[in-house]
Amino acid sequence: LDEWADKELYALPGGLMIDLFSQYIGVSRSLSLNLLYVSIAIILCGVVFLLNPIAVFVALLCNAAMVIEVYGFADWLGLRINGVLVLNIVIAVALTMEFTAHVARAFVLTNVTDKDRQSGMTLPGSNDGQIRMKKTLREMFTPVSLGALTTILGVMPIAFAQFPYFRQYYFTLYIMIVLFGWLNGVIFQPIILSLYPPRAFTLEASSSVDGAPLMASNVTS
């Protein structure tokens, strides 16, 4: 090869094996860049829809935890960091947002009244954040859990695929993504939000024009 290089003749290997293994060149960099772009998108969309920077930060933290968990268990299960795994991890962030965003938005829009503080749902020593989270989970736990269940049912047929690659890099991987996403969104996130609750976002009628009330946004503690 050195002699050919001196004569400006270069050998370009090709074939199926070269195409399969060339995906490992720069795959870690591609994963990092794509996760960075997805994180920026989460922040921008979260500011609009989650209505509170603390809720956005917690949702981003849950997504980071999911990526670390899936990445670690993928190595434990013998899955290589290839193009398919990188693609599915990026998609996994969107799936995790399905579990985190609904709970976070419902929590931000939930308020605590005196009736809530005096009701049987309030344990001794509970703060307003914990009461708000109980009200949130009463409303969102079942829908979010059913969403996780239907996603698992959707990928279940892949478990019976004859090609082992599909079973490993799609069925096994998506089961991990859904389980870790659900745990972080329904268990881990509520704990953090109840301990460090963002302020509740409410709408109050402030004035009227020609008999039509104007709704003004107000952030209450």
Side-chain angles (χ1 to χ4, degrees), residues 155-169:
V155 300
M156 189 65 67
I158 306 178
F160 305 99
Q162 295 181 355
F163 193 24
Y165 192 88
F166 288 163
R167 296 197 302 267
Q168 294 174 352
Y169 284 88

Side-chain angles (χ1 to χ4, degrees), residues 50-69:
L50 299 185
L51 307 174
N52 191 288
I54 296 178
V56 176
F57 174 76
V58 174
L60 193 63
L61 183 63
C62 291
N63 278 273
M66 182 278 305
V67 170
I68 294 173
E69 292 160 355

Side-chain angles (χ1 to χ4, degrees), residues 115-141:
K115 182 179 179 180
D116 294 329
R117 297 186 181 94
Q118 299 172 0
S119 64
M121 66 180 295
T122 304
L123 296 176
S126 297
N127 56 33
D128 286 354
Q130 294 170 336
I131 299 173
R132 288 169 59 196
M133 183 52 66
K134 289 180 181 179
K135 294 178 63 177
T136 300
L137 291 180
R138 278 187 174 184
E139 178 182 356
M140 299 305 303
F141 180 84

